[in-house]
Amino acid sequence: MTAPAIELKGISKAFGPVQANKDISIRVSPGTIHGIIGENGAGKSTLMSILYGFYKADKGEIWIHGKRTEIPDSQAAIAAGIGMVFQHFKLVENFTVLENIILGAEDGGLLKPSLSKARKTLQELAREYELNVDPDARIDEIGVGMQQRVEILKALYRQADILILDEPTGVLTPSEADQLFRILDRLRAEGKTIILITHKLREIMEYTDTVSVMRRGQMTATVKTAETNPEHLAELMVGRKVLLRVDKVPAAPGKPILEIENLNVVDEAGVARVKNLNLTVRAGEIVGIAGVAGNGQSELLEVLGGMREGQGTIRLNGNPLPLSGKGSDARARRASHVAHVPEDRQREGLIMDFHAWENVAFGYHHASEYQSGLLMNNAALRADTEAKMEKFDVRPPDPWLAAKNFSGGNQQKIVVAREIERNPDLLLIGQPTRGVDIGAIEFIHKQIVELRDQGKAVLLVSVELEEILSLSDRVAVMFDGMIMGERPADQTDEKELGLLMAGVAGEAA
Amino acid sequence: MMDFLTLIQVLDSTVRLATPLLLACLAGLFSERAGIFDIGLEGKMLMAAFFSAAVAATTGNVWLGLLAGVASSLVLAGLHGLASITFRGNQLISGVAINFLAAGMTVLIAQDWFQQGGRTPSLISGGRFEPITLPFANAVEGVPILGPIYSELLSGHSILVYLAFLAVPATAWILFGTRFGLRLRAVGENPAAVDTAGVSVVGLRYAAVMICGLLCGIAGAYLATALQAGFVKDMTAGRGFIALAALIFAKWRPWHALGACLLFGLLQAVALRFQNIELGSIVIPVQFMDALPYILTVVILAGFVGKAIPPKAGGEPYVKER
Amino acid sequence: MDKMPKWADVVLIPLISLILAALLSALVILGIGEDPIAAVKLMVSGALGSTYGWGYTLYYATNFLFTGLAVSVAFHARLFNIGGEGQAMLGGLGVALVCLYIPWPHWSLALIFASLGAALFGAAWAAIPAYLQAKRGSHIVITTIMFNFIAAAVLNYVLVNLLRPVGSMDPATARFPEAVHLPSLHELLAPLGIAFSKSAPANVSFVLAIVACFAVWLLIWRTKLGYEIRAYGNSEPGALYAGISPVKITMIAMLISGGLAGMMATNNVMGEAERLVLNSTEGAGFIGIAVALMGRSHPFGVFLAAILFGFLYQGGAELALWTSIPRELIVVIQALVILFTGALDNMVRVPLEKAFLALRREKA
Amino acid sequence: EPALIFDLGGKFDKSFNEAAFTGAQRWAEETGESFREIELQSEAQREQALRRFAEAGANPIVMAGFAFADALGQVAGDYPDTKFVIIDMVVDAPNVRSVVFNEHEGSYLVGMLAAKASKSGTVGFIGGMDIPLIRKFACGYAEGVKAVNPDATVIANMTGTTPAAWNDPVKGSELTKAQISQGADVVYAAAGGTGVGVLQTAADEGILSIGVDSNQNHLHPGKVLTSMMKRVDNAVFQAFSDGPDLQTGFSVMGLSNGGVGFAVDENNASLITDEMQAAADDAAAKIATGEISVHDYMSDDSCPALSF
Ligand SMILES: Nc1ncnc2c1ncn2[C@@H]1O[C@H](COP(=O)(O)OP(=O)(O)OP(=O)(O)O)[C@@H](O)[C@H]1O
Ligand SMILES: Nc1ncnc2c1ncn2[C@@H]1O[C@H](COP(=O)(O)OP(=O)(O)OP(=O)(O)O)[C@@H](O)[C@H]1O
Ligand SMILES: [Mg+2]
Ligand SMILES: [Mg+2]
């Protein structure tokens, strides 16, 4: 047996108080695709970044092709033949493709010769792997799919024979993803070793040779893909049996609560994000918006929540809401009984340095029950917080703890408690269970369903198809800013939605 | 309003006054292109002005003075690097501190060394950079128009002036024609890209900050040993900030920096020479001329005349691990 | 988990930074051939050893309280207001106009309106950078620096060409009328039977500054507006999400900041000089930065830091008077304080965090 | 113990403040006693400096510069037992001595010398802060020039309108260059520290300069035509010598009592011909006796010989 292409022994890494990796060991055979799965925050990216020399491990050894190798920085990793495509691309936005590719791998002190040499090499690589990109295009002018190609080309240009890809398909359409996997297949056939981090069990099952599962900073198992199944992997990931469906009675939709007509949103860069969108959400139903990240779902939620401006018409209980200018901000939305659980709780939903009790007022700090005269009634706020913490089982139930000191799931519970307890007519909820453990997922799902059952409208956005399918009553798929199609949740499946998500029009599917 | 000879004179003093601005502006350009904001240009110049004058005064050798000035500026640059690169502190605060440090230390040391109320003794010849007469300058003086332009405007500056002007193409070439320049620009835009490409962010940024120190050092030495003959307290008189303004005005580009510095130099030259300028019935007070560079910069910053977009990673320490 | 306890963050770190700055300052004094211990003794006796010294210390502290609070309020909204100097200069103009052109029956009335005038002018001077930051994204640090210079030019013009009394050679306004003379601490304390130096300039503005401290504390930690300022300062996307307008908060925070900086003029212009002179701010706007950094942007911390800097200023003046140590020594000390408490914060913080973490691991 | 307060230009401005310092120094050497001194850092400190010295018991307290007038007006009354001496300005208080100089007379003499030394018939004047006091210098100078050569051109520039103008050598240097380009071959600097730049540039460019207040001939030997001596040093020396009992009131120092004059020493001996010296001495005598009357700009804020 040949030596493993990569062997990690006892890798540990802490970020301050967070133990991201704990004593991790793993072997990857040459010429294989090795998958790594695990929940958000399990430590996958950290582990790979250590292999690539981006972080330095606190403990542990790295062996490459049977040789103990010190990788103090990325330069050493590159020298050892490792290339990595990060979850968040590492490209210089105002440089051209060519400049990005030679950065750090120039020949000699002058740019001209390096650039012309790289241009030639790039042409060869493009031909060989069907990786066509315009070498003179600026990164900020090309799409994410293209940017990912640049990242792969960067690695190939440096003659990597071990390629790490961190969640490469999260931003790709299914067809772009298929093309990526064709390239990966070809690379594997050439004897290159590939590590693939992904959340998608389908990709693991279809394309990998072996798979490792991480949970809470530890490696829980490494198995041959052929010898396992999705349920088993899911169980390994979360540490217990996964309940994939939500218990709920069939919906009894009532009058329309939210009506969206011809909504358009243009972002700061002038790109149209939402295009002529029409959608209705009725009382007593949960409408799920599915789609690949970046197809306008976030902007839709933000417009509805009053975080950005748009054009078109939206009505709440029949009354039009302004989409720009006065009265279009989040405060006005809350005043008209729209609650919003944002997609990114740490960036938007919470002020991480505020105490829990301050966060419970966040967005509702104008509410009369929180005031006493000109000042804020902090005592009332704290009492309210204690009540909510109790009801939502926030742990620890300490109003004085800063938001950043709660775990992800408990942070989410604080946000959900704040929004749902306002008893809104419409709940906007984005990625409700991202990075939240399974117990909390069940709890949060239950709260959402309960709200629906009280006759409220819920608009759910999630990139997790499973969550969409199990929680919604009706599913709308967004692609390129438009609704590609709507389906009752119990009359569709992942396959059909996947096609819609790729922009294949509903009728054809 | 102005006859030709006066015009030449004003332009001549524009060149002299633009020189320290230009050197400091290019200094800032290197630093900020690498993502390190530097509002401490003023302090570095001041420190260099003092040490160059002090050493030139004691040794009588202006080159030793220049060396000392540059060295002292490099020390402050290193301090800025330490604070903003190694310890990932706030670059603006570090710059503020450096300005104060220089303002205080120069007077303190000057008083200790020379007991002349915070100044150095006046420099005598040998201790100063003398004007250089370009070849044939005297011969062509009589030629109309071109003669004075060559002999008055172009000739007769100290070597540092020519050095400053040569630094412009050099900077442009380094930035856009070399590997170092590519990496430098990249580290100011996205240090993570540089890091993952296997190049040291810290090394690049220190290099940039040190080049900044070098150029500020020359600028300061020019002030004390060429433009003037010795150091007086606070002699930079806000030039570091005007250079910063010019840098923004130039949108962080070397050739534009030359233009901006010449413009600001011209404003200074005009303000120096004329108290109030009468344009028909309007009198432009000298204070307005003094403030004009700052006003122009604010206008540029406001984006009314083309938006000035700083390097993306500028001002942010590169933090990998929270 | 927090990396270390709160007290370490607000007390231990500034204290260590301060000690480091003090040690280096001592080295500097040694370097210029003087005795640091004697210097400190002289500073202490000169600044705190008599009511005269205290009068000056508190006078300077009053200036720094206003500018320190100004920087702090902006800091809470994550705005770095380096323009305190210019705002205070313009505040002086506001005070001068109010005092010179309106006949006041009593100083108390004059003080109220002079404060308003000062705040108004200071706020106005902060308004343009604030607007440009809020609406056009112009870096407020750079614009406020530019505005300091522009303020100096404006004041220069006004004093030389407009407000200078005929026949006077000073670029300064006329002396304010006797009616707007603010009671000094001497006059204030005399009825209480406390004999305070007659010639020290500390005056009733000190009380005003303390009131401002309390008001800022209430504003930041007890009002909706303060809540919004802090929320915006912590997270701009968060603010948007909560319906807090970044434009509004940027404007308001900077207006309050500029207003506070401007109000410094009640002390130095109205209370001390009783006329507006060039450069009456004497760099207090910049010291506000150090004061806010040291005081961790908390009014109580700002109060302590302002007193400390008042002491340094008065002590430094005494040094310059009685020894050959130039007054610039305090500029150096100020630089070191800013350097250590501001820019080199992590130098102290990181090892300390590690130590606390290790300590906790050991306990666990 | 007497005390001396310097104005913003600083003790070593080689000019006005330095003259005051020289006087104090001479007193200290002759009496073996010591005095207190402080250099101001800013406008706002004037009053503090005065009070601090008065509190500490310094007496008399001498301040060099007109800008102290306002602060002194405030402080003098609070310390009736302390004697104050202010130079260049009049403050009316029982415990203040106000010393003013007839700068126009001294300037007249150096103006004559300038006109005689000038080959181009154009001479320059560079003042510091644009205030009546400095115009008084300029006016006397211009009259002196015109007295020798009625066709001569006098170019006058002021450095600025704020105290910063006393300490701006770069601007002094630029103004000198400008005047040279307009044909001036002698420049007279009455500009405190700014004059250092004027004299430097004049020397660099090979024209003659005239110093002010102190004897500045030595700064560039052979290149400084002469210096208009304003005996601030004498005024300070006198005040210190008089001690706490000094006579208060108004004191004028002019040609008649040696308060102003022009400097001839080994550094400029070769530049001043016997004829020049004789003419100037003659004029000095006539001014002292009142035979020649030099116009004092400050008497009516106008100057017959020069327009500003
Ligand atoms: N640079 C960093 N500084 C501090 N903590 C970090 C850093 N990067 C990651 N962490 C923490 O380390 C843990 C593991 O993070 P990591 O990014 O490796 O997870 P992951 O498995 O890649 O998750 P995801 O699926 O969301 O990408 C998390 O708790 C995270 O908050
Ligand atoms: N970036 C961070 N900075 C500081 N502390 C953190 C950070 N991320 C996590 N922690 C701490 O680490 C602990 C574990 O956080 P984490 O989000 O990984 O919890 P978890 O086990 O995934 O729980 P949950 O399932 O509720 O999300 C939290 O209690 C929190 O205090
Ligand atoms: Mg990851
Ligand atoms: Mg978690």
Side-chain angles (χ1 to χ4, degrees), chain A residues 15-19 39-42 216 345-346 352 395-396 401 403-411 413 434-440, chain B residues 322, chain C residues 1-3:
Chain A
F15 294 113
V18 181
Q19 191 70 42
E39 281 188 294
N40 294 111
R216 302 195 167 199
R345 56 178 168 271
Q346 303 200 341
M352 299 303 277
R395 276 178 265 182
L401 208 60
K404 65 178 178 203
N405 292 331
F406 288 92
S407 73
N410 285 302
Q411 288 171 352
K413 283 186 197 166
R434 181 184 270 175
V436 171
D437 81 34
I438 203 81
Chain B
R322 274 165 286 144
Chain C
M1 238 2 208
D2 274 335
K3 286 178 177 160

Side-chain angles (χ1 to χ4, degrees), chain A residues 226-247:
Chain A
E227 296 165 6
T228 183
N229 58 51
E231 288 72 25
H232 182 226
L233 285 179
E235 201 183 314
L236 285 172
M237 242 162 88
V238 299
R240 66 171 211 181
K241 277 248 181 278
V242 188
L243 184 71
L244 287 176
R245 296 221 78 91
V246 179
D247 274 330

Side-chain angles (χ1 to χ4, degrees), chain D residues 161-238:
Chain D
T161 48
T162 64
W166 301 122
N167 210 356
D168 193 347
V170 172
K171 192 154 184 181
S173 160
E174 287 298 326
L175 287 174
T176 311
K177 287 202 168 109
Q179 296 196 343
I180 293 171
S181 73
Q182 292 168 62
D185 59 356
V186 183
V187 283
Y188 173 29
T194 303
V196 175
V198 176
L199 269 50
Q200 177 79 49
T201 305
D204 287 350
E205 303 276 321
I207 68 159
L208 293 172
S209 55
I210 299 173
V212 80
D213 295 347
S214 293
N215 183 349
Q216 297 184 320
N217 296 356
H218 67 279
L219 288 179
H220 305 279
K223 291 175 176 166
V224 179
L225 177 63
T226 181
S227 298
M228 199 292 277
M229 302 280 282
K230 173 171 165 182
R231 302 307 298 261
V232 177
D233 52 340
N234 286 354
V236 174
F237 183 84
Q238 193 61 45

Side-chain angles (χ1 to χ4, degrees), chain B residues 233, chain C residues 282 321 327-328, chain D residues 4-11 17 37-50 53 63-64 67-68 71:
Chain B
K233 177 173 128 181
Chain C
E282 290 187 89
L321 213 52
R327 206 160 181 268
E328 271 74 14
Chain D
L4 178 59
I5 307 177
F6 300 102
D7 208 336
L8 292 174
K11 177 160 84 171
N17 288 294
E37 58 176 1
I38 188 167
E39 291 179 84
L40 281 192
Q41 309 285 330
S42 95
E43 212 52 36
Q45 288 171 346
R46 296 186 193 280
E47 195 170 323
Q48 182 182 7
L50 279 176
F53 278 138
M63 60 219 82
F68 284 97

